[in-house]
Amino acid sequence: LDIFTTLNNHKENWLQKFTHKFKLLYINICSIYKKINDIKCLIQENNYKIICFAETWLNEYFTNDELLHYFPDFNLHRIDRVSNRGGGLLILYCKSIDVTIENSIITPNLEYLHVSIIYLTKRKPLQLVLIYRPPNSPQLSAKNDIENLLSNINYNNYPMIILGDFNIDYKKNKRNVISNLISSYGFKQYPLGYTRVNENTKTEIDWLCTNTMASKLVSDVKNTDIELSDHNGIEFNLKMVPNKTKVSYR
């Protein structure tokens, strides 16, 4: 073997040795206040490294320090609705993972929290966008907000995941304006089955979408009933390398 083949083999062996699958959970929690102890047990039992919550219903009276008291091994990013009750987004992430906030918005039409996740030194960070669209917001207005976000990101050059509660039943309406927009940007939408089930309805309103680069990092997607709200959780593995491990070759 020539020297370049040998170096490439060493690189692939290194990646296989240090690559881990971190488990991520998304859930519309429908108010987090009285469920914190249950969430803590859920994280411990399943070893989730990143947990994304929609509809936290948090406000300024519940501080980050108070929240992290229950999750000492985690950091967080959050945005709260201030005009009325409801809404709000939260991302809890293990301290061994480097997550930085890029952008966020809360309007009557859409809420999103956009973060970068460093999953390998010298590689492009994973972009994750957590979304909540209120059920009564016009689809076209929410679509315009999402398009404004995507048009300002060079999404073809970064692995990118979009997930959250869009309050559009994808099972019944696959050709809605927001799905069409996301698809036009080259994203794949995962078929999840019913994600919100109650006595009267069954709908697929929680979505998971990835671009081509991110689809190589996502595996073992599961729609799972975690019994903390009337929404199911979306669980999957992320192929990642701890950011504290430095890659170097000679």
Side-chain angles (χ1 to χ4, degrees), residues 97-115:
I97 303 172
D98 186 2
V99 180
T100 58
I101 190 165
E102 297 290 344
N103 199 1
S104 64
I105 189 174
I106 287 192
T107 73
N109 302 317
L110 190 75
E111 304 174 8
Y112 71 71
L113 181 56
H114 170 204
V115 299

Side-chain angles (χ1 to χ4, degrees), residues 56-60 62 78-82 86-89 106:
T56 60
W57 297 22
L58 291 172
N59 56 41
E60 71 273 17
F62 202 100
R78 68 187 253 202
I79 53 173
D80 304 335
R81 185 185 294 179
V82 296
L89 301 169
I106 287 192

Side-chain angles (χ1 to χ4, degrees), residues 143-182:
K143 176 251 183 187
N144 290 338
D145 285 336
I146 295 171
E147 187 166 23
N148 185 57
L149 166 71
L150 292 175
S151 65
N152 285 291
I153 302 173
N154 197 347
Y155 60 91
N156 281 325
N157 285 340
Y158 293 92
M160 190 167 183
I161 296 171
I162 301 173
L163 77 172
D165 181 356
F166 289 78
N167 273 304
I168 301 171
D169 187 358
Y170 183 67
K171 210 167 192 60
K172 290 183 178 179
N173 185 11
K174 289 181 169 60
R175 297 185 63 82
N176 62 80
V177 294
I178 297 179
S179 282
N180 289 344
L181 169 71
I182 292 173

Side-chain angles (χ1 to χ4, degrees), residues 103-249:
N103 199 1
S104 64
I105 189 174
I106 287 192
T107 73
N109 302 317
L110 190 75
E111 304 174 8
Y112 71 71
L113 181 56
H114 170 204
V115 299
S116 290
I117 302 172
I118 307 299
Y119 68 100
L120 180 60
T121 304
K122 297 183 180 178
R123 287 205 175 183
K124 294 174 180 176
L126 170 67
Q127 306 298 298
L128 187 145
V129 181
L130 175 61
I131 286 179
Y132 174 66
R133 174 187 163 266
N136 296 323
S137 78
Q139 289 188 28
L140 189 58
S141 298
K143 176 251 183 187
N144 290 338
D145 285 336
I146 295 171
E147 187 166 23
N148 185 57
L149 166 71
L150 292 175
S151 65
N152 285 291
I153 302 173
N154 197 347
Y155 60 91
N156 281 325
N157 285 340
Y158 293 92
M160 190 167 183
I161 296 171
I162 301 173
L163 77 172
D165 181 356
F166 289 78
N167 273 304
I168 301 171
D169 187 358
Y170 183 67
K171 210 167 192 60
K172 290 183 178 179
N173 185 11
K174 289 181 169 60
R175 297 185 63 82
N176 62 80
V177 294
I178 297 179
S179 282
N180 289 344
L181 169 71
I182 292 173
S183 176
S184 73
Y185 277 83
F187 284 78
K188 165 190 174 182
Q189 187 160 342
Y190 287 74
L192 298 169
Y194 297 123
T195 62
R196 183 172 184 262
V197 179
N198 56 36
E199 293 180 357
N200 301 314
T201 60
K202 296 180 178 180
T203 53
E204 187 177 351
I205 60 176
D206 302 278
W207 300 357
L208 170 64
C209 310
T210 61
N211 67 359
T212 301
M213 291 178 71
S215 67
K216 298 175 183 178
L217 304 176
V218 171
S219 64
D220 306 311
V221 177
K222 186 190 303 183
N223 176 351
T224 180
D225 182 5
I226 62 172
E227 300 180 349
L228 291 180
S229 78
D230 60 354
H231 290 252
N232 286 357
I234 301 172
E235 175 188 295
F236 56 91
N237 285 324
L238 274 177
K239 187 188 297 183
M240 301 174 74
V241 174
N243 67 302
K244 297 184 185 299
T245 306
K246 187 175 181 180
V247 186
S248 60
Y249 301 104

